[in-house]
């Protein structure tokens, strides 16, 4: 090999070293060292070849070769320090094995936990979830639910009206119950129907320990062939036992809602005193042993007709329950307002 060839070879080795040293992810510095500077490394072998080159040129080439060797050694030392291999000690306080700072974790709101628990019970019974808008038309909130115009039953639900009109020129309103989702669902699908519909509802009511102008309900609707009051009773009893335990009992008291016939208030045996408040009067059931929990009944034929379901062919039941009331019973909360005040001392108790 002549001097020019040798120089070219040195430059090629230098380039290939630079490329290998700059690779991401980095190559193992020990392997690089062995490949270029080791006893049989590329640079070491080239330096050995110097012996074939005439003396006058050998000196300058040798100096050039040594400069490249020093360069490579310096770069390798740097790489070893970064990769943590033995090399000049790099001091650091960083300990990657220390645990991280604990972050305060939030938890679900008691109403959400309650709703999830209620939803789980019904999903086991084959109910799926349906939703509807909070701003509703008179038609869905009242008319199709068999509330005739000017019927006094409309006064049972003090309504917030919105300063906007629907397509038929009537004022829009904030839904007073989740029952309009019954109509929206039936108009959208063929029977059979088996849905629950949780959500926010609004009534113009003064706030106290058991009332609020905005609260939550869960609606249930089951339409199929031959569905009766007996199915309603079994479903609600199964649901209550699942939620409150197998000793929970259910009773139906006659009641009136325009969209069901017959209609009922459903009561559950008091989960606190279990009906045994003989000596001290139970503050929750007021000593009666029963707690009123929801409205229910067999879907009125007029409601089915409004949705183009043939009442001769299909029948069903519906129920509507306040979620707040269930949350208060499940978690022993005595004042509904506690559910809206975001006091962490209350919220942290429910998981
Ligand atoms: N929508 C009724 C209310 O809010 C409850 C209900 C629902 C009653 C379904 C019967 C059937 O008071």
């Amino acid at each position: 090999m002549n001097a020019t060839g040798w120089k070219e070879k040195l430059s090629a080795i230098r380039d290939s070293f630079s490329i290998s040293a700059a690779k991401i992810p980095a190559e193992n510095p020990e392997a690089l060292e062995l490949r270029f500077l080791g006893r049989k490394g590329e640079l070491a072998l080239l330096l050995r070849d110097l012996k074939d080159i005439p003396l006058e040129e050998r000196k300058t080439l040798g100096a050039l070769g040594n400069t490249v060797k020093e360069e490579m050694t310096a770069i390798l030392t740097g790489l070893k320090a970064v990769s943590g291999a033995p090399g000049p000690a790099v001091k650091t306080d960083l300990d990657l094995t220390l645990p991280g700072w604990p972050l305060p974790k939030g938890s679900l709101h008691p109403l959400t936990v309650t709703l999830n628990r209620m939803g789980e019970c019904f999903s086991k019974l084959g109910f799926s979830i349906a939703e509807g808008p909070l701003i509703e038309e008179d038609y869905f909130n009242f008319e199709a639910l068999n509330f005739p115009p000017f019927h006094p039953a409309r006064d049972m639900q003090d309504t917030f009206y919105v300063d906007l009109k629907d397509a038929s020129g009537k004022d829009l309103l904030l839904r007073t119950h989740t029952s309009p989702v019954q109509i929206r669902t039936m108009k959208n699908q063929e029977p059979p129907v088996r849905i629950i519909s949780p959500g926010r509802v609004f009534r113009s009511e003064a706030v106290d320990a058991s009332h609020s102008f905005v609260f939550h309900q869960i609606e249930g609707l089951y339409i199929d062939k031959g569905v009766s009051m007996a199915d309603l009773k079994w479903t609600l009893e199964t649901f209550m036992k699942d939620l409150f335990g197998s000793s929970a009992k259910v009773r139906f008291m006659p009641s009136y809602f325009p969209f069901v016939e017959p209609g009922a208030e459903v009561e559950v045996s008091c989960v606190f005193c279990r009906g045994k408040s003989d000596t001290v009067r139970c503050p929750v059931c007021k000593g009666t042993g029963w707690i009123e929990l929801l409205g229910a009944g067999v879907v009125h034929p007029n409601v089915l007709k409004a949705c183009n379901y043939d009442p001769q062919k299909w029948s069903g039941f519906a129920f509507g329950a306040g979620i707040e009331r269930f949350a208060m019973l499940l978690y022993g909360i005595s004042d509904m307002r506690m559910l809206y005040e975001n006091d962490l001392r209350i919220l942290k108790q429910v998981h």
Side-chain angles (χ1 to χ4, degrees):
M1 190 185 326
N2 64 18
T4 322
W6 195 93
K7 258 181 161 173
E8 272 168 13
K9 190 95 193 278
L10 179 69
S11 152
I13 291 174
R14 191 169 178 249
D15 288 347
S16 113
F17 176 86
S18 305
I19 291 167
S20 307
K23 258 194 195 148
I24 294 174
E27 268 185 41
N28 180 349
E30 276 75 34
L32 270 183
E33 183 167 42
L34 201 67
R35 191 171 127 207
F36 289 97
L37 301 178
R39 213 164 48 81
K40 288 186 178 165
E42 288 185 39
L43 185 62
L45 291 179
L46 187 70
L47 287 172
R48 223 167 286 163
D49 285 346
L50 274 176
K51 63 180 181 341
D52 303 331
I53 291 183
L55 189 61
E56 7 9 310
E57 287 166 312
R58 201 189 298 167
K59 267 191 171 171
T60 36
L61 293 184
L64 215 60
N66 276 332
T67 317
V68 172
K69 190 176 172 182
E70 276 162 25
E71 259 175 41
M72 289 184 178
T73 311
I75 291 171
L76 285 170
T77 310
L79 286 181
K80 283 181 194 166
V82 175
S83 76
V90 179
K91 263 199 159 175
T92 169
D93 289 334
L94 182 66
D95 180 353
L96 293 173
T97 64
L98 284 176
W101 295 106
L103 287 173
K105 264 195 280 174
S107 58
L108 295 176
H109 190 277
L111 284 173
T112 310
V113 179
T114 306
L115 172 58
N116 290 347
R117 286 182 62 176
M118 294 170 84
E120 265 166 38
C121 298
F122 285 114
S123 93
K124 282 189 257 178
L125 296 174
F127 286 77
S128 53
I129 293 180
E131 281 181 315
L134 305 187
I135 298 180
E136 223 1 316
E137 295 174 29
D138 182 278
Y139 176 78
F140 292 105
N141 196 81
F142 291 124
E143 205 180 311
L145 285 164
N146 198 33
F147 287 82
F150 312 113
H151 192 280
R154 289 182 178 228
D155 299 343
M156 283 160 58
Q157 308 191 350
D158 293 312
T159 311
F160 283 119
Y161 287 92
V162 180
D163 220 359
L164 288 169
K165 307 253 181 249
D166 63 24
S168 63
K170 290 206 175 109
D171 282 340
L172 288 172
L173 49 87
L174 299 184
R175 67 178 185 186
T176 56
H177 51 177
T178 41
S179 301
V181 185
Q182 289 186 32
I183 307 297
R184 288 185 175 273
T185 307
M186 285 191 274
K187 282 194 177 272
N188 257 326
Q189 78 176 72
E190 295 294 321
V193 173
R194 191 157 30 175
I195 52 129
I196 51 168
S197 180
R200 204 163 285 182
V201 299
F202 309 82
R203 287 187 199 179
S204 176
E205 274 176 0
V207 176
D208 64 25
S210 53
H211 293 90
S212 168
F213 54 86
V214 46
F215 58 103
H216 301 79
Q217 282 190 339
I218 186 165
E219 191 81 9
L221 176 70
Y222 179 31
I223 308 280
D224 207 331
K225 285 181 180 149
V227 178
S228 71
M229 194 78 171
D231 298 292
L232 170 63
K233 201 156 181 233
W234 179 87
T235 304
L236 290 180
E237 213 165 83
T238 307
F239 160 68
M240 298 290 191
K241 285 189 194 300
D242 195 355
L243 199 64
F244 293 116
S246 54
S247 61
K249 287 191 201 61
V250 172
R251 74 175 186 184
F252 281 52
M253 310 299 271
S255 186
Y256 173 73
F257 302 95
F259 37 96
V260 286
E261 181 58 37
E265 293 284 355
V266 183
E267 301 184 351
V268 70
S269 49
C270 182
V271 289
F272 292 101
C273 70
R274 306 210 173 274
K276 294 194 186 83
S277 62
D278 324 323
T279 43
V280 186
R281 205 171 83 120
C282 171
V284 179
C285 67
K286 311 260 182 325
T288 63
W290 295 93
I291 304 169
E292 190 185 305
L293 270 184
L294 46 91
V298 172
V299 178
H300 197 289
N302 286 353
V303 175
L304 295 174
K305 277 186 220 151
C307 301
N308 292 322
Y309 281 18
D310 180 358
Q312 300 300 325
K313 201 167 159 197
W314 304 101
S315 64
F317 64 71
F319 57 86
I323 298 175
E324 276 78 354
R325 194 128 173 78
F326 277 86
M328 290 164 78
L329 288 180
L330 283 174
Y331 302 111
I333 297 170
S334 57
D335 190 321
M336 195 165 166
R337 288 166 287 195
M338 288 182 187
L339 291 168
Y340 309 125
E341 283 168 350
N342 289 335
D343 185 335
L344 287 181
R345 288 169 301 179
I346 302 286
L347 300 183
K348 276 183 176 167
Q349 292 180 45
V350 177
H351 297 288

